[in-house]
């Protein structure tokens, strides 16, 4: 059996500290997503994005007993952007890509981290089967993180960790072993308190303050990933903010992100991957786009999505 099972949690925590995992949490593998009040509220309001599959995580937890949740920090634009990007780019017209798409694709980075963690756990326990979830399955990693005590849901609907803020990627490792000493817990305090900075700063008023959910029909982060034609109001806001993929505004203004923090160096981008030359972007072929931007998480939607949003910046918003 290797290490005594009673020390398993401690061993995993130590492994995380030594291997670039910024925070680690644990919880029992049991269905809960379909009973979330926030989820049901968003569903009734029509806020759920086209990428969410309802209630299907029930099929994933079967056969697993414990979940290990990891947080990996990524760059905060407040501290990791040039002050005058236009000057550095030769005053070319540019579009911005949100920091969740900087550097190497986070799906690949977190999967590698979790595969190595799974290998470690299997070597010190009787674990034989596991399942990895990194934002590509029906599992809500954010809710798993909350249940494991790693943070709370901010008013902008992001997970906020007291030490790391909200610029974190979340991954989950479902295991077929019981890890002693874990309980599904949530932080009892609301550390956002009376703060409404994220709500007040959202350029499209996409934050529903009643239940901390996002109006995906307005949210720039969501709408810049959609293939459908965007309404004129959202088009205008894309032109104002210059985002062609994602949006960081509600996180940038959050007081919990005012402190500069270390992040995984694999997410450190080249300036040309953050500020996209729009005139060149419109000339990209599928192959050249993949060659230039294919390693970025935001490239998964393809060049046409970026080009569509870039045109809103280059041209009149109603064109």
């Amino acid at each position: 059996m290797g290490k005594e099972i009673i020390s398993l949690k401690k061993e995993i925590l130590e492994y995380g500290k030594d291997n670039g995992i910024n925070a680690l949490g644990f919880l029992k593998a049991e269905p809960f997503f379909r009973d979330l009040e926030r989820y049901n509220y968003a569903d009734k309001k029509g806020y759920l994005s086209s990428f969410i599959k309802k209630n299907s995580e029930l099929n994933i937890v079967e056969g697993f007993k414990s979940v290990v949740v990891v947080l990996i920090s990524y760059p905060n634009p407040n501290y990791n952007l040039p002050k005058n990007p236009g000057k550095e780019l030769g005053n070319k017209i540019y579009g911005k890509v949100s920091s969740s798409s900087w550097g190497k694709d986070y799906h690949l980075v977190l999967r590698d981290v979790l595969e190595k963690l799974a290998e470690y756990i299997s070597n010190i326990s009787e674990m034989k089967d596991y399942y990895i979830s990194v934002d590509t399955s029906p599992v809500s990693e954010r809710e798993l993180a909350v249940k494991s005590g790693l943070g709370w849901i901010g008013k902008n609907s992001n997970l906020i960790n007291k030490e790391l803020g909200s610029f974190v990627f979340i991954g989950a490792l479902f295991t077929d072993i019981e890890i002693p000493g874990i309980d599904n817990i949530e932080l009892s305090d609301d550390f956002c308190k009376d703060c409404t900075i994220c709500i007040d700063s959202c350029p499209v008023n996409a934050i529903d303050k009643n239940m901390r959910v996002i109006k995906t029909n307005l949210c720039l982060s969501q709408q810049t990933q959609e293939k459908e034609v965007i309404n004129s109001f959202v088009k205008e806001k894309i032109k104002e903010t210059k985002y062609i993929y994602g949006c960081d505004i509600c996180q940038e203004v959050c007081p919990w992100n005012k402190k500069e923090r270390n992040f995984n160096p694999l997410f450190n981008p080249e300036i040309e991957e953050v500020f996209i030359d729009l005139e060149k972007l419109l000339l990209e072929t599928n192959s050249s786009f993949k060659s230039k931007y294919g390693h970025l998480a935001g490239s998964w939607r393809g060049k046409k999505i970026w080009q569509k949003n870039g045109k809103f910046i280059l041209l009149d918003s109603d064109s």
Side-chain angles (χ1 to χ4, degrees), residues 77-108:
N78 287 317
Y79 301 102
N80 297 282
L81 286 181
K83 300 301 181 183
N84 190 346
K87 182 178 181 181
E88 295 195 30
L89 293 173
N91 293 316
K92 297 174 182 177
I93 302 175
Y94 65 88
K96 293 191 296 185
V97 174
S98 70
S99 59
S100 63
S101 186
W102 292 4
K104 187 174 181 178
D105 187 337
Y106 72 88
H107 302 94
L108 302 179

PDB file of all heavy atoms in Angstrom, residues 77-108:
ATOM      1  N   PRO A  77      -3.364  41.213 -15.728  1.00  0.00           N
ATOM      2  CA  PRO A  77      -3.040  42.285 -16.684  1.00  0.00           C
ATOM      3  C   PRO A  77      -2.629  43.596 -16.030  1.00  0.00           C
ATOM      4  O   PRO A  77      -1.924  44.404 -16.652  1.00  0.00           O
ATOM      5  CB  PRO A  77      -4.349  42.457 -17.473  1.00  0.00           C
ATOM      6  CG  PRO A  77      -5.039  41.153 -17.341  1.00  0.00           C
ATOM      7  CD  PRO A  77      -4.704  40.656 -15.960  1.00  0.00           C
ATOM      8  N   ASN A  78      -3.044  43.824 -14.776  1.00  0.00           N
ATOM      9  CA  ASN A  78      -2.659  45.049 -14.084  1.00  0.00           C
ATOM     10  C   ASN A  78      -1.152  45.179 -13.949  1.00  0.00           C
ATOM     11  O   ASN A  78      -0.617  46.287 -13.867  1.00  0.00           O
ATOM     12  CB  ASN A  78      -3.288  45.090 -12.680  1.00  0.00           C
ATOM     13  CG  ASN A  78      -4.771  45.360 -12.710  1.00  0.00           C
ATOM     14  OD1 ASN A  78      -5.236  46.209 -13.453  1.00  0.00           O
ATOM     15  ND2 ASN A  78      -5.534  44.618 -11.914  1.00  0.00           N
ATOM     16  N   TYR A  79      -0.454  44.047 -13.922  1.00  0.00           N
ATOM     17  CA  TYR A  79       0.984  44.063 -13.676  1.00  0.00           C
ATOM     18  C   TYR A  79       1.793  43.457 -14.809  1.00  0.00           C
ATOM     19  O   TYR A  79       3.018  43.479 -14.767  1.00  0.00           O
ATOM     20  CB  TYR A  79       1.300  43.296 -12.382  1.00  0.00           C
ATOM     21  CG  TYR A  79       0.597  43.866 -11.181  1.00  0.00           C
ATOM     22  CD1 TYR A  79      -0.542  43.265 -10.663  1.00  0.00           C
ATOM     23  CD2 TYR A  79       1.055  45.025 -10.572  1.00  0.00           C
ATOM     24  CE1 TYR A  79      -1.208  43.807  -9.562  1.00  0.00           C
ATOM     25  CE2 TYR A  79       0.405  45.574  -9.488  1.00  0.00           C
ATOM     26  CZ  TYR A  79      -0.728  44.954  -8.981  1.00  0.00           C
ATOM     27  OH  TYR A  79      -1.388  45.496  -7.901  1.00  0.00           O
ATOM     28  N   ASN A  80       1.147  42.919 -15.821  1.00  0.00           N
ATOM     29  CA  ASN A  80       1.876  42.176 -16.847  1.00  0.00           C
ATOM     30  C   ASN A  80       1.572  42.638 -18.264  1.00  0.00           C
ATOM     31  O   ASN A  80       1.674  41.871 -19.206  1.00  0.00           O
ATOM     32  CB  ASN A  80       1.559  40.683 -16.708  1.00  0.00           C
ATOM     33  CG  ASN A  80       2.023  40.107 -15.389  1.00  0.00           C
ATOM     34  OD1 ASN A  80       3.199  39.822 -15.198  1.00  0.00           O
ATOM     35  ND2 ASN A  80       1.092  39.964 -14.453  1.00  0.00           N
ATOM     36  N   LEU A  81       1.218  43.920 -18.398  1.00  0.00           N
ATOM     37  CA  LEU A  81       0.979  44.496 -19.715  1.00  0.00           C
ATOM     38  C   LEU A  81       1.854  45.730 -19.908  1.00  0.00           C
ATOM     39  O   LEU A  81       2.109  46.466 -18.948  1.00  0.00           O
ATOM     40  CB  LEU A  81      -0.488  44.917 -19.872  1.00  0.00           C
ATOM     41  CG  LEU A  81      -1.526  43.817 -20.065  1.00  0.00           C
ATOM     42  CD1 LEU A  81      -2.898  44.442 -20.218  1.00  0.00           C
ATOM     43  CD2 LEU A  81      -1.206  42.970 -21.283  1.00  0.00           C
ATOM     44  N   PRO A  82       2.319  45.975 -21.121  1.00  0.00           N
ATOM     45  CA  PRO A  82       3.062  47.216 -21.376  1.00  0.00           C
ATOM     46  C   PRO A  82       2.141  48.416 -21.199  1.00  0.00           C
ATOM     47  O   PRO A  82       0.944  48.341 -21.449  1.00  0.00           O
ATOM     48  CB  PRO A  82       3.516  47.056 -22.837  1.00  0.00           C
ATOM     49  CG  PRO A  82       2.592  46.050 -23.429  1.00  0.00           C
ATOM     50  CD  PRO A  82       2.217  45.117 -22.307  1.00  0.00           C
ATOM     51  N   LYS A  83       2.704  49.514 -20.748  1.00  0.00           N
ATOM     52  CA  LYS A  83       1.906  50.701 -20.459  1.00  0.00           C
ATOM     53  C   LYS A  83       1.375  51.365 -21.730  1.00  0.00           C
ATOM     54  O   LYS A  83       0.312  51.975 -21.735  1.00  0.00           O
ATOM     55  CB  LYS A  83       2.732  51.712 -19.650  1.00  0.00           C
ATOM     56  CG  LYS A  83       3.229  51.177 -18.305  1.00  0.00           C
ATOM     57  CD  LYS A  83       2.067  50.750 -17.415  1.00  0.00           C
ATOM     58  CE  LYS A  83       2.561  50.232 -16.068  1.00  0.00           C
ATOM     59  NZ  LYS A  83       1.448  49.738 -15.221  1.00  0.00           N
ATOM     60  N   ASN A  84       2.125  51.267 -22.813  1.00  0.00           N
ATOM     61  CA  ASN A  84       1.712  51.897 -24.067  1.00  0.00           C
ATOM     62  C   ASN A  84       1.842  50.888 -25.201  1.00  0.00           C
ATOM     63  O   ASN A  84       2.784  50.940 -25.996  1.00  0.00           O
ATOM     64  CB  ASN A  84       2.578  53.126 -24.356  1.00  0.00           C
ATOM     65  CG  ASN A  84       2.028  53.949 -25.513  1.00  0.00           C
ATOM     66  OD1 ASN A  84       1.163  53.484 -26.256  1.00  0.00           O
ATOM     67  ND2 ASN A  84       2.523  55.166 -25.659  1.00  0.00           N
ATOM     68  N   PRO A  85       0.900  49.942 -25.295  1.00  0.00           N
ATOM     69  CA  PRO A  85       1.018  48.879 -26.294  1.00  0.00           C
ATOM     70  C   PRO A  85       1.026  49.390 -27.730  1.00  0.00           C
ATOM     71  O   PRO A  85       1.703  48.837 -28.590  1.00  0.00           O
ATOM     72  CB  PRO A  85      -0.219  48.007 -26.035  1.00  0.00           C
ATOM     73  CG  PRO A  85      -1.183  48.906 -25.337  1.00  0.00           C
ATOM     74  CD  PRO A  85      -0.347  49.818 -24.507  1.00  0.00           C
ATOM     75  N   GLY A  86       0.277  50.464 -27.995  1.00  0.00           N
ATOM     76  CA  GLY A  86       0.251  51.004 -29.347  1.00  0.00           C
ATOM     77  C   GLY A  86       1.628  51.435 -29.806  1.00  0.00           C
ATOM     78  O   GLY A  86       2.032  51.186 -30.944  1.00  0.00           O
ATOM     79  N   LYS A  87       2.382  52.070 -28.914  1.00  0.00           N
ATOM     80  CA  LYS A  87       3.734  52.514 -29.245  1.00  0.00           C
ATOM     81  C   LYS A  87       4.645  51.334 -29.503  1.00  0.00           C
ATOM     82  O   LYS A  87       5.438  51.317 -30.447  1.00  0.00           O
ATOM     83  CB  LYS A  87       4.276  53.382 -28.109  1.00  0.00           C
ATOM     84  CG  LYS A  87       5.664  53.949 -28.376  1.00  0.00           C
ATOM     85  CD  LYS A  87       6.108  54.844 -27.229  1.00  0.00           C
ATOM     86  CE  LYS A  87       7.494  55.429 -27.506  1.00  0.00           C
ATOM     87  NZ  LYS A  87       7.949  56.285 -26.376  1.00  0.00           N
ATOM     88  N   GLU A  88       4.558  50.311 -28.641  1.00  0.00           N
ATOM     89  CA  GLU A  88       5.408  49.134 -28.793  1.00  0.00           C
ATOM     90  C   GLU A  88       5.066  48.346 -30.049  1.00  0.00           C
ATOM     91  O   GLU A  88       5.904  47.614 -30.583  1.00  0.00           O
ATOM     92  CB  GLU A  88       5.299  48.234 -27.557  1.00  0.00           C
ATOM     93  CG  GLU A  88       5.844  48.890 -26.284  1.00  0.00           C
ATOM     94  CD  GLU A  88       6.054  47.890 -25.174  1.00  0.00           C
ATOM     95  OE1 GLU A  88       6.338  46.717 -25.473  1.00  0.00           O
ATOM     96  OE2 GLU A  88       5.941  48.276 -23.999  1.00  0.00           O
ATOM     97  N   LEU A  89       3.836  48.483 -30.529  1.00  0.00           N
ATOM     98  CA  LEU A  89       3.419  47.768 -31.735  1.00  0.00           C
ATOM     99  C   LEU A  89       3.529  48.635 -32.984  1.00  0.00           C
ATOM    100  O   LEU A  89       3.025  48.281 -34.045  1.00  0.00           O
ATOM    101  CB  LEU A  89       1.967  47.298 -31.575  1.00  0.00           C
ATOM    102  CG  LEU A  89       1.711  46.230 -30.516  1.00  0.00           C
ATOM    103  CD1 LEU A  89       0.223  46.007 -30.354  1.00  0.00           C
ATOM    104  CD2 LEU A  89       2.407  44.927 -30.888  1.00  0.00           C
ATOM    105  N   GLY A  90       4.200  49.770 -32.847  1.00  0.00           N
ATOM    106  CA  GLY A  90       4.335  50.650 -33.995  1.00  0.00           C
ATOM    107  C   GLY A  90       3.056  51.390 -34.323  1.00  0.00           C
ATOM    108  O   GLY A  90       2.795  51.725 -35.480  1.00  0.00           O
ATOM    109  N   ASN A  91       2.250  51.635 -33.276  1.00  0.00           N
ATOM    110  CA  ASN A  91       0.988  52.369 -33.417  1.00  0.00           C
ATOM    111  C   ASN A  91       0.020  51.707 -34.403  1.00  0.00           C
ATOM    112  O   ASN A  91      -0.793  52.371 -35.052  1.00  0.00           O
ATOM    113  CB  ASN A  91       1.260  53.821 -33.844  1.00  0.00           C
ATOM    114  CG  ASN A  91       1.962  54.612 -32.755  1.00  0.00           C
ATOM    115  OD1 ASN A  91       1.585  54.526 -31.584  1.00  0.00           O
ATOM    116  ND2 ASN A  91       2.996  55.353 -33.125  1.00  0.00           N
ATOM    117  N   LYS A  92       0.099  50.396 -34.514  1.00  0.00           N
ATOM    118  CA  LYS A  92      -0.829  49.659 -35.355  1.00  0.00           C
ATOM    119  C   LYS A  92      -2.155  49.473 -34.614  1.00  0.00           C
ATOM    120  O   LYS A  92      -2.210  49.498 -33.390  1.00  0.00           O
ATOM    121  CB  LYS A  92      -0.240  48.300 -35.722  1.00  0.00           C
ATOM    122  CG  LYS A  92       1.043  48.397 -36.538  1.00  0.00           C
ATOM    123  CD  LYS A  92       1.663  47.030 -36.745  1.00  0.00           C
ATOM    124  CE  LYS A  92       2.971  47.143 -37.525  1.00  0.00           C
ATOM    125  NZ  LYS A  92       3.656  45.839 -37.684  1.00  0.00           N
ATOM    126  N   ILE A  93      -3.231  49.299 -35.366  1.00  0.00           N
ATOM    127  CA  ILE A  93      -4.533  49.050 -34.752  1.00  0.00           C
ATOM    128  C   ILE A  93      -4.538  47.617 -34.230  1.00  0.00           C
ATOM    129  O   ILE A  93      -4.268  46.675 -34.976  1.00  0.00           O
ATOM    130  CB  ILE A  93      -5.666  49.256 -35.768  1.00  0.00           C
ATOM    131  CG1 ILE A  93      -5.625  50.681 -36.323  1.00  0.00           C
ATOM    132  CG2 ILE A  93      -7.026  48.995 -35.106  1.00  0.00           C
ATOM    133  CD1 ILE A  93      -6.642  50.937 -37.419  1.00  0.00           C
ATOM    134  N   TYR A  94      -4.826  47.461 -32.959  1.00  0.00           N
ATOM    135  CA  TYR A  94      -4.722  46.137 -32.347  1.00  0.00           C
ATOM    136  C   TYR A  94      -6.007  45.744 -31.624  1.00  0.00           C
ATOM    137  O   TYR A  94      -6.835  46.578 -31.257  1.00  0.00           O
ATOM    138  CB  TYR A  94      -3.547  46.083 -31.370  1.00  0.00           C
ATOM    139  CG  TYR A  94      -3.715  46.987 -30.162  1.00  0.00           C
ATOM    140  CD1 TYR A  94      -4.364  46.539 -29.008  1.00  0.00           C
ATOM    141  CD2 TYR A  94      -3.219  48.286 -30.159  1.00  0.00           C
ATOM    142  CE1 TYR A  94      -4.527  47.360 -27.903  1.00  0.00           C
ATOM    143  CE2 TYR A  94      -3.375  49.127 -29.065  1.00  0.00           C
ATOM    144  CZ  TYR A  94      -4.030  48.652 -27.944  1.00  0.00           C
ATOM    145  OH  TYR A  94      -4.195  49.482 -26.853  1.00  0.00           O
ATOM    146  N   GLY A  95      -6.156  44.446 -31.424  1.00  0.00           N
ATOM    147  CA  GLY A  95      -7.210  43.902 -30.579  1.00  0.00           C
ATOM    148  C   GLY A  95      -6.559  43.141 -29.435  1.00  0.00           C
ATOM    149  O   GLY A  95      -5.432  42.636 -29.573  1.00  0.00           O
ATOM    150  N   LYS A  96      -7.253  43.047 -28.316  1.00  0.00           N
ATOM    151  CA  LYS A  96      -6.684  42.405 -27.125  1.00  0.00           C
ATOM    152  C   LYS A  96      -7.243  40.994 -26.933  1.00  0.00           C
ATOM    153  O   LYS A  96      -8.389  40.711 -27.267  1.00  0.00           O
ATOM    154  CB  LYS A  96      -6.987  43.226 -25.874  1.00  0.00           C
ATOM    155  CG  LYS A  96      -6.289  44.571 -25.830  1.00  0.00           C
ATOM    156  CD  LYS A  96      -6.401  45.213 -24.460  1.00  0.00           C
ATOM    157  CE  LYS A  96      -7.839  45.540 -24.093  1.00  0.00           C
ATOM    158  NZ  LYS A  96      -7.918  46.271 -22.796  1.00  0.00           N
ATOM    159  N   VAL A  97      -6.396  40.154 -26.348  1.00  0.00           N
ATOM    160  CA  VAL A  97      -6.789  38.811 -25.953  1.00  0.00           C
ATOM    161  C   VAL A  97      -6.704  38.733 -24.434  1.00  0.00           C
ATOM    162  O   VAL A  97      -5.722  39.183 -23.843  1.00  0.00           O
ATOM    163  CB  VAL A  97      -5.863  37.757 -26.597  1.00  0.00           C
ATOM    164  CG1 VAL A  97      -6.174  36.378 -26.066  1.00  0.00           C
ATOM    165  CG2 VAL A  97      -6.000  37.789 -28.108  1.00  0.00           C
ATOM    166  N   SER A  98      -7.712  38.195 -23.776  1.00  0.00           N
ATOM    167  CA  SER A  98      -7.725  38.151 -22.312  1.00  0.00           C
ATOM    168  C   SER A  98      -6.606  37.275 -21.780  1.00  0.00           C
ATOM    169  O   SER A  98      -6.104  36.376 -22.458  1.00  0.00           O
ATOM    170  CB  SER A  98      -9.075  37.652 -21.790  1.00  0.00           C
ATOM    171  OG  SER A  98      -9.227  36.275 -22.077  1.00  0.00           O
ATOM    172  N   SER A  99      -6.215  37.525 -20.537  1.00  0.00           N
ATOM    173  CA  SER A  99      -5.040  36.870 -19.964  1.00  0.00           C
ATOM    174  C   SER A  99      -5.223  35.366 -19.774  1.00  0.00           C
ATOM    175  O   SER A  99      -4.243  34.635 -19.620  1.00  0.00           O
ATOM    176  CB  SER A  99      -4.669  37.512 -18.619  1.00  0.00           C
ATOM    177  OG  SER A  99      -5.731  37.423 -17.699  1.00  0.00           O
ATOM    178  N   SER A 100      -6.454  34.878 -19.808  1.00  0.00           N
ATOM    179  CA  SER A 100      -6.660  33.436 -19.704  1.00  0.00           C
ATOM    180  C   SER A 100      -6.151  32.716 -20.950  1.00  0.00           C
ATOM    181  O   SER A 100      -6.021  31.487 -20.958  1.00  0.00           O
ATOM    182  CB  SER A 100      -8.152  33.117 -19.506  1.00  0.00           C
ATOM    183  OG  SER A 100      -8.910  33.529 -20.635  1.00  0.00           O
ATOM    184  N   SER A 101      -5.848  33.488 -21.995  1.00  0.00           N
ATOM    185  CA  SER A 101      -5.345  32.905 -23.237  1.00  0.00           C
ATOM    186  C   SER A 101      -3.901  33.300 -23.509  1.00  0.00           C
ATOM    187  O   SER A 101      -3.428  33.209 -24.633  1.00  0.00           O
ATOM    188  CB  SER A 101      -6.219  33.323 -24.428  1.00  0.00           C
ATOM    189  OG  SER A 101      -5.816  32.659 -25.612  1.00  0.00           O
ATOM    190  N   TRP A 102      -3.178  33.723 -22.467  1.00  0.00           N
ATOM    191  CA  TRP A 102      -1.780  34.084 -22.655  1.00  0.00           C
ATOM    192  C   TRP A 102      -0.891  32.852 -22.504  1.00  0.00           C
ATOM    193  O   TRP A 102      -1.169  31.950 -21.712  1.00  0.00           O
ATOM    194  CB  TRP A 102      -1.354  35.109 -21.619  1.00  0.00           C
ATOM    195  CG  TRP A 102      -1.996  36.452 -21.762  1.00  0.00           C
ATOM    196  CD1 TRP A 102      -2.965  36.827 -22.658  1.00  0.00           C
ATOM    197  CD2 TRP A 102      -1.734  37.604 -20.963  1.00  0.00           C
ATOM    198  NE1 TRP A 102      -3.317  38.140 -22.464  1.00  0.00           N
ATOM    199  CE2 TRP A 102      -2.581  38.640 -21.431  1.00  0.00           C
ATOM    200  CE3 TRP A 102      -0.872  37.867 -19.902  1.00  0.00           C
ATOM    201  CZ2 TRP A 102      -2.573  39.914 -20.873  1.00  0.00           C
ATOM    202  CZ3 TRP A 102      -0.858  39.124 -19.340  1.00  0.00           C
ATOM    203  CH2 TRP A 102      -1.705  40.151 -19.826  1.00  0.00           C
ATOM    204  N   GLY A 103       0.203  32.831 -23.259  1.00  0.00           N
ATOM    205  CA  GLY A 103       1.168  31.747 -23.112  1.00  0.00           C
ATOM    206  C   GLY A 103       0.611  30.412 -23.574  1.00  0.00           C
ATOM    207  O   GLY A 103      -0.275  30.337 -24.431  1.00  0.00           O
ATOM    208  N   LYS A 104       1.132  29.344 -22.998  1.00  0.00           N
ATOM    209  CA  LYS A 104       0.713  28.005 -23.399  1.00  0.00           C
ATOM    210  C   LYS A 104      -0.720  27.725 -22.966  1.00  0.00           C
ATOM    211  O   LYS A 104      -1.152  28.141 -21.890  1.00  0.00           O
ATOM    212  CB  LYS A 104       1.656  26.966 -22.781  1.00  0.00           C
ATOM    213  CG  LYS A 104       1.413  25.556 -23.268  1.00  0.00           C
ATOM    214  CD  LYS A 104       2.462  24.582 -22.744  1.00  0.00           C
ATOM    215  CE  LYS A 104       2.210  23.177 -23.253  1.00  0.00           C
ATOM    216  NZ  LYS A 104       3.244  22.212 -22.807  1.00  0.00           N
ATOM    217  N   ASP A 105      -1.447  27.026 -23.787  1.00  0.00           N
ATOM    218  CA  ASP A 105      -2.838  26.667 -23.523  1.00  0.00           C
ATOM    219  C   ASP A 105      -2.970  26.048 -22.125  1.00  0.00           C
ATOM    220  O   ASP A 105      -2.362  25.018 -21.833  1.00  0.00           O
ATOM    221  CB  ASP A 105      -3.303  25.661 -24.579  1.00  0.00           C
ATOM    222  CG  ASP A 105      -4.787  25.344 -24.495  1.00  0.00           C
ATOM    223  OD1 ASP A 105      -5.392  25.514 -23.426  1.00  0.00           O
ATOM    224  OD2 ASP A 105      -5.342  24.894 -25.512  1.00  0.00           O
ATOM    225  N   TYR A 106      -3.777  26.696 -21.271  1.00  0.00           N
ATOM    226  CA  TYR A 106      -3.881  26.241 -19.884  1.00  0.00           C
ATOM    227  C   TYR A 106      -4.481  24.845 -19.763  1.00  0.00           C
ATOM    228  O   TYR A 106      -4.217  24.139 -18.782  1.00  0.00           O
ATOM    229  CB  TYR A 106      -4.681  27.240 -19.046  1.00  0.00           C
ATOM    230  CG  TYR A 106      -6.166  27.293 -19.311  1.00  0.00           C
ATOM    231  CD1 TYR A 106      -7.047  26.458 -18.638  1.00  0.00           C
ATOM    232  CD2 TYR A 106      -6.699  28.196 -20.218  1.00  0.00           C
ATOM    233  CE1 TYR A 106      -8.423  26.513 -18.867  1.00  0.00           C
ATOM    234  CE2 TYR A 106      -8.054  28.265 -20.464  1.00  0.00           C
ATOM    235  CZ  TYR A 106      -8.914  27.432 -19.788  1.00  0.00           C
ATOM    236  OH  TYR A 106     -10.267  27.483 -20.020  1.00  0.00           O
ATOM    237  N   HIS A 107      -5.284  24.443 -20.729  1.00  0.00           N
ATOM    238  CA  HIS A 107      -5.830  23.087 -20.691  1.00  0.00           C
ATOM    239  C   HIS A 107      -4.698  22.056 -20.691  1.00  0.00           C
ATOM    240  O   HIS A 107      -4.725  21.077 -19.938  1.00  0.00           O
ATOM    241  CB  HIS A 107      -6.742  22.833 -21.896  1.00  0.00           C
ATOM    242  CG  HIS A 107      -7.889  23.770 -22.014  1.00  0.00           C
ATOM    243  ND1 HIS A 107      -7.830  24.909 -22.788  1.00  0.00           N
ATOM    244  CD2 HIS A 107      -9.129  23.745 -21.455  1.00  0.00           C
ATOM    245  CE1 HIS A 107      -8.989  25.545 -22.707  1.00  0.00           C
ATOM    246  NE2 HIS A 107      -9.795  24.864 -21.909  1.00  0.00           N
ATOM    247  N   LEU A 108      -3.693  22.312 -21.525  1.00  0.00           N
ATOM    248  CA  LEU A 108      -2.557  21.402 -21.622  1.00  0.00           C
ATOM    249  C   LEU A 108      -1.685  21.461 -20.381  1.00  0.00           C
ATOM    250  O   LEU A 108      -1.203  20.437 -19.890  1.00  0.00           O
ATOM    251  CB  LEU A 108      -1.721  21.742 -22.865  1.00  0.00           C
ATOM    252  CG  LEU A 108      -2.461  21.701 -24.205  1.00  0.00           C
ATOM    253  CD1 LEU A 108      -1.515  22.090 -25.338  1.00  0.00           C
ATOM    254  CD2 LEU A 108      -3.051  20.322 -24.453  1.00  0.00           C
TER     255      LEU A 108
END
